[in-house]
Amino acid sequence: MAKAQRTGVIRDYDMHSASVRVGYGFIMTVIAVFPIIWVVLAGFKDLKEFMSSVKLLPEVFDFSLFAKTWSQLGIAQNYLNSLISVAGSVVCAIVFNGLLGYGLAILKPKGYGIVKKLVMLSLLLPTTISIVPLFMNIQKLNLGGSFVPLWLSYGANAMYVILFVQFFESLPTSIIEAGRIDGCTQLQTFFYIVLPLSKPICSVIAIFAINAAWSDFLLPYLVLRGSALQTVMVRLFVFSTEQTVNADTMMRSVVFSMIPPIILFF
């Protein structure tokens, strides 16, 4: 059992006070929300005001600046591309990682222990070292310029597999055995019994996958570069390099990329 913190700015004992909890929550909220508020308010400033003024609030809330940046970006199609990429990534993250977790936690075929150890060992490897061989395989399979490689990359995530394994091991075996007695195949057991019982972990995996797929840049840039399927993050990078973009315009572009994650988490 962990010992209570007796020293520091805020001790565990202090958290019993309602005023301390409210103050602590307020401070943490300000720290988390202030960067978002600053970026949004900075988007209302023109270049001159952005470069010279240190005030948080703009002199005028001119929404036409956002409309102008939106038309310059032409980002509506990129929003749709990102949504397609995210949707496919979530499905693959849940189905494929869930199937492997189901095999390691419930089916447990011969040699499953070795596979489980290899999956856990892969957590020690940085993701970026697999980019080169992954991109070479994508090119050999002629999958460049499509969403398929992006979807499948989220269907092979060691962290998601481990999360599924930990959750599946906590499921009551009696329900799974009842399904087998009723004649369910292994796939039917997974899709009709295990997955419906796993809504909490599926929600967690979905949130992780949405956040990762929306903000991912490197692999979408390598796979979708030069195509009409560019995601929002790729479009922002291309937009910043294809012409001279002022800092205030780029700030408003960042606001557009922040909207979906903000809606998701709030």
Side-chain angles (χ1 to χ4, degrees):
M1 183 176 181
K3 294 182 179 180
Q5 181 180 344
R6 299 182 182 275
T7 60
V9 178
I10 300 178
R11 300 169 298 175
D12 291 342
Y13 179 79
D14 296 330
M15 295 303 292
H16 293 288
S17 171
S19 59
V20 173
R21 291 199 301 270
V22 171
Y24 179 77
F26 175 77
I27 292 173
M28 296 306 295
T29 301
V30 170
I31 293 174
V33 176
F34 178 77
I36 300 175
I37 296 176
W38 180 82
V39 171
V40 174
L41 293 178
F44 287 101
K45 301 177 180 179
D46 57 21
L47 181 60
K48 181 180 179 181
E49 183 182 1
F50 181 81
M51 300 300 293
S52 60
S53 176
V54 295
K55 296 180 180 179
L56 178 63
L57 295 176
E59 295 180 359
V60 179
F61 286 89
D62 189 358
F63 287 91
S64 64
L65 295 175
F66 282 93
K68 180 180 178 181
T69 303
W70 178 274
S71 62
Q72 286 180 330
L73 272 173
I75 204 173
Q77 180 62 43
N78 303 110
Y79 262 107
L80 179 60
N81 295 339
S82 289
L83 291 176
I84 295 173
S85 175
V86 167
S89 298
V90 171
V91 172
C92 289
I94 293 176
V95 173
F96 295 136
N97 294 299
L99 282 170
L100 180 54
Y102 174 68
L104 297 177
I106 296 177
L107 299 182
K108 296 182 178 179
K110 187 176 181 180
Y112 81 95
I114 298 175
V115 175
K116 188 175 180 180
K117 288 181 175 62
L118 289 174
V119 171
M120 297 186 68
L121 183 63
S122 67
L123 290 172
L124 302 175
L125 303 176
T127 307
T128 51
I129 68 173
S130 64
I131 288 294
V132 173
L134 178 61
F135 181 70
M136 292 176 63
N137 288 328
I138 290 173
Q139 294 299 104
K140 290 179 181 179
L141 294 173
N142 294 321
L143 293 177
S146 72
F147 294 118
V148 176
L150 306 182
W151 296 341
L152 295 181
S153 67
Y154 287 92
N157 188 294
M159 186 186 75
Y160 299 165
V161 173
I162 297 301
L163 291 176
F164 273 120
V165 169
Q166 295 296 320
F167 188 87
F168 290 162
E169 288 178 343
S170 67
L171 294 177
T173 57
S174 58
I175 299 178
I176 298 173
E177 292 296 335
R180 291 172 179 171
I181 292 174
D182 289 338
C184 289
T185 64
Q186 301 293 0
L187 285 178
Q188 288 174 333
T189 301
F190 174 74
F191 284 107
Y192 295 119
I193 298 177
V194 175
L195 271 190
L197 293 174
S198 305
K199 291 180 182 178
I201 192 62
C202 288
S203 300
V204 171
I205 298 298
I207 291 174
F208 285 161
I210 290 172
N211 188 44
W214 180 268
S215 60
D216 193 12
F217 166 74
L218 182 56
L219 187 59
Y221 176 72
L222 294 175
V223 174
L224 303 176
R225 180 177 54 182
S227 70
L229 303 179
Q230 293 178 353
T231 60
V232 171
M233 298 303 167
V234 176
R235 176 57 187 153
L236 290 182
F237 176 76
V238 173
F239 178 68
S240 66
T241 57
E242 67 184 3
Q243 55 182 304
T244 302
V245 180
N246 296 325
D248 60 324
T249 303
M250 202 64 211
M251 195 67 68
R252 287 188 287 273
S253 303
V254 171
V255 172
F256 293 137
S257 70
M258 291 166 45
I259 293 175
I262 292 175
I263 292 175
L264 174 66
F265 288 104
F266 287 95

Short mmCIF file of all heavy atoms in Angstrom, two decimals, residues 43 45 62-75 235-236 239 243 245-256:
data_model
loop_
_atom_site.label_atom_id
_atom_site.label_comp_id
_atom_site.label_asym_id
_atom_site.label_seq_id
_atom_site.Cartn_x
_atom_site.Cartn_y
_atom_site.Cartn_z
N GLY A 43 -5.69 33.21 -33.88
CA GLY A 43 -6.18 33.10 -35.24
C GLY A 43 -7.01 34.28 -35.68
O GLY A 43 -7.18 34.52 -36.89
N LYS A 45 -6.19 37.36 -35.17
CA LYS A 45 -5.30 38.49 -35.39
C LYS A 45 -4.75 38.47 -36.81
O LYS A 45 -4.44 37.40 -37.34
CB LYS A 45 -4.14 38.47 -34.39
CG LYS A 45 -4.57 38.51 -32.92
CD LYS A 45 -3.37 38.42 -32.00
CE LYS A 45 -3.79 38.46 -30.54
NZ LYS A 45 -2.63 38.35 -29.62
N ASP A 62 -12.54 38.92 -36.09
CA ASP A 62 -12.85 38.93 -37.52
C ASP A 62 -12.90 37.49 -38.04
O ASP A 62 -11.87 36.86 -38.31
CB ASP A 62 -11.79 39.73 -38.28
CG ASP A 62 -12.17 39.96 -39.73
OD1 ASP A 62 -13.25 39.46 -40.14
OD2 ASP A 62 -11.40 40.61 -40.45
N PHE A 63 -14.12 36.95 -38.18
CA PHE A 63 -14.28 35.57 -38.64
C PHE A 63 -13.97 35.42 -40.12
O PHE A 63 -13.78 34.30 -40.60
CB PHE A 63 -15.71 35.10 -38.37
CG PHE A 63 -15.99 34.83 -36.91
CD1 PHE A 63 -16.50 35.84 -36.11
CD2 PHE A 63 -15.73 33.59 -36.35
CE1 PHE A 63 -16.76 35.61 -34.76
CE2 PHE A 63 -15.98 33.35 -35.00
CZ PHE A 63 -16.49 34.36 -34.20
N SER A 64 -13.91 36.53 -40.84
CA SER A 64 -13.59 36.44 -42.27
C SER A 64 -12.17 35.94 -42.49
O SER A 64 -11.86 35.38 -43.55
CB SER A 64 -13.78 37.80 -42.93
OG SER A 64 -12.86 38.76 -42.41
N LEU A 65 -11.29 36.15 -41.50
CA LEU A 65 -9.92 35.64 -41.62
C LEU A 65 -9.91 34.12 -41.67
O LEU A 65 -9.17 33.51 -42.45
CB LEU A 65 -9.07 36.14 -40.44
CG LEU A 65 -8.84 37.66 -40.35
CD1 LEU A 65 -8.09 38.01 -39.07
CD2 LEU A 65 -8.05 38.14 -41.58
N PHE A 66 -10.75 33.49 -40.85
CA PHE A 66 -10.86 32.03 -40.88
C PHE A 66 -11.47 31.55 -42.20
O PHE A 66 -11.05 30.53 -42.75
CB PHE A 66 -11.70 31.53 -39.70
CG PHE A 66 -10.95 31.52 -38.39
CD1 PHE A 66 -11.01 32.59 -37.53
CD2 PHE A 66 -10.19 30.42 -38.02
CE1 PHE A 66 -10.34 32.59 -36.33
CE2 PHE A 66 -9.50 30.40 -36.83
CZ PHE A 66 -9.57 31.48 -35.97
N ALA A 67 -12.47 32.29 -42.69
CA ALA A 67 -13.09 31.92 -43.97
C ALA A 67 -12.08 32.00 -45.10
O ALA A 67 -12.05 31.14 -46.00
CB ALA A 67 -14.30 32.82 -44.24
N LYS A 68 -11.24 33.04 -45.08
CA LYS A 68 -10.22 33.21 -46.11
C LYS A 68 -9.20 32.07 -46.06
O LYS A 68 -8.81 31.52 -47.10
CB LYS A 68 -9.53 34.55 -45.94
CG LYS A 68 -8.44 34.84 -46.97
CD LYS A 68 -7.80 36.19 -46.72
CE LYS A 68 -6.69 36.46 -47.73
NZ LYS A 68 -6.03 37.77 -47.48
N THR A 69 -8.76 31.72 -44.85
CA THR A 69 -7.79 30.62 -44.70
C THR A 69 -8.40 29.30 -45.13
O THR A 69 -7.73 28.47 -45.74
CB THR A 69 -7.31 30.54 -43.24
OG1 THR A 69 -6.74 31.78 -42.86
CG2 THR A 69 -6.28 29.44 -43.08
N TRP A 70 -9.68 29.09 -44.81
CA TRP A 70 -10.37 27.86 -45.22
C TRP A 70 -10.38 27.72 -46.74
O TRP A 70 -10.13 26.64 -47.28
CB TRP A 70 -11.79 27.86 -44.66
CG TRP A 70 -12.61 26.66 -45.06
CD1 TRP A 70 -13.35 26.50 -46.20
CD2 TRP A 70 -12.75 25.44 -44.33
NE1 TRP A 70 -13.96 25.27 -46.22
CE2 TRP A 70 -13.61 24.60 -45.08
CE3 TRP A 70 -12.26 24.99 -43.11
CZ2 TRP A 70 -13.97 23.32 -44.64
CZ3 TRP A 70 -12.62 23.72 -42.68
CH2 TRP A 70 -13.46 22.90 -43.44
N SER A 71 -10.66 28.83 -47.43
CA SER A 71 -10.69 28.78 -48.89
C SER A 71 -9.29 28.58 -49.47
O SER A 71 -9.12 27.92 -50.49
CB SER A 71 -11.32 30.06 -49.45
OG SER A 71 -10.55 31.20 -49.08
N GLN A 72 -8.29 29.16 -48.83
CA GLN A 72 -6.91 28.96 -49.29
C GLN A 72 -6.47 27.50 -49.13
O GLN A 72 -5.81 26.95 -50.01
CB GLN A 72 -5.96 29.87 -48.51
CG GLN A 72 -6.03 31.33 -48.89
CD GLN A 72 -5.06 32.18 -48.07
OE1 GLN A 72 -4.76 31.86 -46.93
NE2 GLN A 72 -4.60 33.27 -48.66
N LEU A 73 -6.84 26.92 -48.02
CA LEU A 73 -6.45 25.53 -47.75
C LEU A 73 -7.18 24.55 -48.65
O LEU A 73 -6.62 23.55 -49.09
CB LEU A 73 -6.72 25.18 -46.28
CG LEU A 73 -5.63 25.47 -45.26
CD1 LEU A 73 -6.17 25.22 -43.86
CD2 LEU A 73 -4.42 24.59 -45.51
N GLY A 74 -8.48 24.81 -48.91
CA GLY A 74 -9.29 23.83 -49.62
C GLY A 74 -9.34 22.53 -48.83
O GLY A 74 -9.15 21.44 -49.39
N ILE A 75 -9.60 22.65 -47.52
CA ILE A 75 -9.39 21.54 -46.61
C ILE A 75 -10.62 20.64 -46.44
O ILE A 75 -10.56 19.62 -45.74
CB ILE A 75 -8.95 22.09 -45.22
CG1 ILE A 75 -8.17 21.03 -44.43
CG2 ILE A 75 -10.16 22.60 -44.43
CD1 ILE A 75 -7.57 21.57 -43.16
N ARG A 235 -2.00 17.76 -45.59
CA ARG A 235 -2.37 18.98 -46.30
C ARG A 235 -1.76 20.22 -45.63
O ARG A 235 -1.30 21.14 -46.31
CB ARG A 235 -3.89 19.10 -46.35
CG ARG A 235 -4.40 20.39 -46.98
CD ARG A 235 -3.87 20.59 -48.38
NE ARG A 235 -4.23 21.90 -48.92
CZ ARG A 235 -3.53 22.54 -49.84
NH1 ARG A 235 -2.41 22.01 -50.31
NH2 ARG A 235 -3.93 23.70 -50.28
N LEU A 236 -1.75 20.25 -44.30
CA LEU A 236 -1.16 21.39 -43.60
C LEU A 236 0.32 21.52 -43.92
O LEU A 236 0.83 22.63 -44.11
CB LEU A 236 -1.37 21.25 -42.09
CG LEU A 236 -2.80 21.41 -41.57
CD1 LEU A 236 -2.81 21.29 -40.05
CD2 LEU A 236 -3.40 22.73 -42.00
N PHE A 239 0.69 22.63 -47.51
CA PHE A 239 0.27 24.04 -47.60
C PHE A 239 1.37 24.98 -47.11
O PHE A 239 1.59 26.05 -47.67
CB PHE A 239 -1.00 24.24 -46.77
CG PHE A 239 -1.50 25.66 -46.73
CD1 PHE A 239 -2.01 26.26 -47.88
CD2 PHE A 239 -1.46 26.39 -45.56
CE1 PHE A 239 -2.47 27.57 -47.85
CE2 PHE A 239 -1.91 27.70 -45.52
CZ PHE A 239 -2.42 28.29 -46.66
N GLN A 243 3.83 27.41 -50.73
CA GLN A 243 3.76 28.84 -50.94
C GLN A 243 4.22 29.54 -49.66
O GLN A 243 4.40 28.92 -48.63
CB GLN A 243 2.33 29.28 -51.29
CG GLN A 243 1.30 28.82 -50.26
CD GLN A 243 -0.11 29.21 -50.65
OE1 GLN A 243 -0.39 30.38 -50.87
NE2 GLN A 243 -0.98 28.22 -50.74
N VAL A 245 3.59 31.19 -46.52
CA VAL A 245 2.46 31.23 -45.60
C VAL A 245 2.85 32.05 -44.38
O VAL A 245 3.86 31.78 -43.73
CB VAL A 245 2.05 29.81 -45.17
CG1 VAL A 245 0.86 29.87 -44.22
CG2 VAL A 245 1.71 28.96 -46.39
N ASN A 246 2.05 33.06 -44.07
CA ASN A 246 2.31 33.88 -42.89
C ASN A 246 1.99 33.11 -41.62
O ASN A 246 1.21 32.15 -41.63
CB ASN A 246 1.48 35.16 -42.94
CG ASN A 246 1.86 36.05 -44.11
OD1 ASN A 246 3.03 36.12 -44.49
ND2 ASN A 246 0.88 36.73 -44.69
N ALA A 247 2.56 33.58 -40.51
CA ALA A 247 2.38 32.88 -39.24
C ALA A 247 0.92 32.89 -38.79
O ALA A 247 0.44 31.90 -38.24
CB ALA A 247 3.26 33.53 -38.16
N ASP A 248 0.20 33.99 -39.04
CA ASP A 248 -1.19 34.05 -38.62
C ASP A 248 -2.06 33.10 -39.43
O ASP A 248 -2.99 32.47 -38.90
CB ASP A 248 -1.72 35.49 -38.74
CG ASP A 248 -1.64 36.01 -40.17
OD1 ASP A 248 -0.66 35.66 -40.87
OD2 ASP A 248 -2.54 36.75 -40.59
N THR A 249 -1.77 32.95 -40.71
CA THR A 249 -2.51 32.00 -41.54
C THR A 249 -2.26 30.57 -41.09
O THR A 249 -3.19 29.75 -41.03
CB THR A 249 -2.10 32.16 -43.01
OG1 THR A 249 -2.32 33.51 -43.43
CG2 THR A 249 -2.90 31.23 -43.90
N MET A 250 -1.02 30.25 -40.77
CA MET A 250 -0.69 28.91 -40.29
C MET A 250 -1.37 28.63 -38.96
O MET A 250 -1.79 27.49 -38.70
CB MET A 250 0.83 28.77 -40.17
CG MET A 250 1.30 27.33 -40.20
SD MET A 250 0.92 26.55 -41.80
CE MET A 250 0.66 24.86 -41.29
N MET A 251 -1.50 29.64 -38.12
CA MET A 251 -2.16 29.47 -36.84
C MET A 251 -3.63 29.11 -37.04
O MET A 251 -4.17 28.23 -36.35
CB MET A 251 -2.03 30.74 -36.00
CG MET A 251 -2.37 30.56 -34.53
SD MET A 251 -1.19 29.52 -33.67
CE MET A 251 0.26 30.56 -33.72
N ARG A 252 -4.28 29.77 -37.98
CA ARG A 252 -5.68 29.45 -38.26
C ARG A 252 -5.81 28.06 -38.87
O ARG A 252 -6.79 27.34 -38.62
CB ARG A 252 -6.28 30.51 -39.19
CG ARG A 252 -6.52 31.84 -38.50
CD ARG A 252 -7.28 32.80 -39.38
NE ARG A 252 -6.46 33.33 -40.47
CZ ARG A 252 -5.69 34.41 -40.35
NH1 ARG A 252 -5.64 35.07 -39.20
NH2 ARG A 252 -4.97 34.83 -41.37
N SER A 253 -4.81 27.65 -39.64
CA SER A 253 -4.83 26.29 -40.19
C SER A 253 -4.73 25.25 -39.08
O SER A 253 -5.39 24.20 -39.14
CB SER A 253 -3.65 26.11 -41.17
OG SER A 253 -3.69 27.08 -42.19
N VAL A 254 -3.93 25.54 -38.07
CA VAL A 254 -3.80 24.63 -36.93
C VAL A 254 -5.13 24.52 -36.19
O VAL A 254 -5.50 23.44 -35.71
CB VAL A 254 -2.69 25.12 -35.98
CG1 VAL A 254 -2.68 24.31 -34.69
CG2 VAL A 254 -1.33 25.02 -36.66
N VAL A 255 -5.87 25.63 -36.09
CA VAL A 255 -7.17 25.59 -35.43
C VAL A 255 -8.10 24.62 -36.14
O VAL A 255 -8.82 23.83 -35.50
CB VAL A 255 -7.80 27.01 -35.41
CG1 VAL A 255 -9.24 26.95 -34.89
CG2 VAL A 255 -6.97 27.93 -34.53
N PHE A 256 -8.10 24.62 -37.48
CA PHE A 256 -8.94 23.69 -38.23
C PHE A 256 -8.58 22.24 -37.94
O PHE A 256 -9.46 21.37 -37.88
CB PHE A 256 -8.81 23.97 -39.74
CG PHE A 256 -9.38 25.29 -40.17
CD1 PHE A 256 -8.71 26.09 -41.08
CD2 PHE A 256 -10.59 25.74 -39.67
CE1 PHE A 256 -9.23 27.31 -41.48
CE2 PHE A 256 -11.12 26.95 -40.06
CZ PHE A 256 -10.44 27.74 -40.97
#
